[in-house]
Amino acid sequence: MLRVSRLSAAHGAVQAVREVDLDVPKGSLVALIGSNGVGKTTTMNSIAGLHRPASGTVELDGTDITGWTCHKVVRAGVALVAEGRRVAPPLTVEENLGLATYSRRSNKADFRAQYGRVLDLFPRLAERRGQLAGMLSGGEQQMLAVGRALMTNPDVLLLDEPSMGLAPSIVDVLFETITTLHETGSTILLVEQNAELALAVSDQVYVMQRGRIVASGEPEEIRGRDEVMTALFG
Ligand SMILES: Nc1ncnc2c1ncn2[C@@H]1O[C@H](COP(=O)(O)OP(=O)(O)OP(=O)(O)O)[C@@H](O)[C@H]1O
Ligand SMILES: [Mg+2]
């Protein structure tokens, strides 16, 4: 569904991503893990059209979407939940969810159907649909950020560190939902610094170090590679 080939990206003189290859098959949950500053966000932003890659390609279901603007990428079917849960604080939960529909072609019926699905998936958002996003807890804001991405009914969902800064109990709730999405056929690329969490839920794992993919495989394979586990967990 999503294929990244030899992707390189820089921030000025900083070569953040070097010849990264990723394959995210339809219906799979693929994790990209690695410690601080290795290039995970730059990779995600390059896929989502928020950062222009220096070279390499991004293909969505066979279409080359490299270098497309983020609006076009969303319309093509890729939704990013950016690092640091960006919701609109002065708008209500419902209004935040409604914003997403401006970014992908949709009509009123689609909106109601998708809104219903998102509220079913996140009962807490259903309870708080009239509240201002700025008044929600961190975990609820992250749910809202994920819900807003889902409102575009994406073919591929990109999640950049959804667990960051959240209490463990909220992380559990969030990851149960991510698992539900996976089980119901969603295609997901998940970036996580919490490698243990990523290994527990994913079908395939890519390990990144200093801008490069240094290992990939099923979680069991990765767990069996001592040098990779040492690099991840010390
Ligand atoms: N806007 C920027 N300007 C300059 N350098 C940047 C910028 N954004 C990221 N970098 C650098 O690029 C490299 C990769 O950063 P990136 O944010 O992609 O890593 P990351 O794996 O997502 O890290 P984290 O785990 O902290 O989120 C780092 O060396 C970082 O300092
Ligand atoms: Mg990051």
Side-chain angles (χ1 to χ4, degrees):
M1 179 58 80
L2 180 72
R3 177 167 285 149
V4 172
S5 311
R6 301 180 66 99
L7 183 80
S8 295
H11 299 281
V14 180
Q15 187 74 41
V17 174
R18 300 164 191 261
E19 311 222 314
V20 161
D21 291 321
L22 297 171
D23 194 17
V24 186
K26 193 173 164 67
S28 65
L29 199 175
V30 174
L32 176 60
I33 61 181
S35 50
N36 257 319
V38 296
K40 305 181 300 294
T41 294
T42 306
T43 301
M44 294 294 252
N45 288 352
S46 298
I47 296 169
L50 292 170
H51 186 90
R52 211 181 174 80
S55 58
T57 57
V58 180
E59 280 172 85
L60 177 69
D61 208 10
T63 303
D64 187 345
I65 62 165
T66 321
W68 286 20
T69 61
C70 56
H71 297 287
K72 256 185 103 178
V73 172
V74 171
R75 254 180 266 130
V78 178
L80 168 71
V81 179
E83 201 175 50
R85 42 180 183 280
R86 311 231 174 96
V87 298
L91 300 184
T92 66
V93 166
E94 180 163 11
E95 286 163 347
N96 266 275
L97 293 174
L99 286 179
T101 55
Y102 291 103
S103 49
R104 202 178 187 192
R105 65 193 140 58
S106 61
N107 56 40
K108 237 181 175 136
D110 288 342
F111 173 79
R112 292 317 311 180
Q114 206 57 20
Y115 184 58
R117 265 180 233 136
V118 168
L119 295 189
D120 284 347
L121 202 56
F122 293 109
R124 284 189 190 224
L125 293 184
E127 290 163 19
R128 290 163 176 72
R129 72 186 91 174
Q131 286 188 19
L132 299 182
M135 303 299 282
L136 301 177
S137 69
E140 288 160 357
Q141 289 190 14
Q142 187 61 279
M143 290 172 191
L144 181 55
V146 175
R148 196 172 55 185
L150 292 174
M151 286 299 292
T152 66
N153 197 16
D155 297 317
V156 179
L157 180 64
L158 307 176
L159 299 172
D160 193 350
E161 305 238 23
S163 75
M164 191 165 49
L166 302 183
S169 60
I170 297 296
V171 172
D172 288 346
V173 174
L174 191 65
F175 270 73
E176 271 169 35
T177 309
I178 292 169
T179 302
T180 302
L181 283 169
H182 177 218
E183 285 168 359
T184 53
S186 294
T187 306
I188 303 170
L189 176 58
L190 166 72
V191 158
E192 260 300 335
Q193 223 180 96
N194 185 336
E196 196 44 61
L197 201 54
L199 286 165
V201 299
S202 58
D203 301 314
Q204 201 74 21
V205 182
Y206 289 84
V207 181
M208 209 168 177
Q209 257 176 347
R210 279 186 248 115
R212 292 186 192 280
I213 301 296
V214 293
S216 66
E218 292 175 13
E220 296 68 45
E221 288 175 66
I222 298 294
R223 280 183 208 282
R225 289 179 59 178
D226 290 342
E227 83 289 0
V228 176
M229 292 303 277
T230 306
L232 287 170
F233 298 104

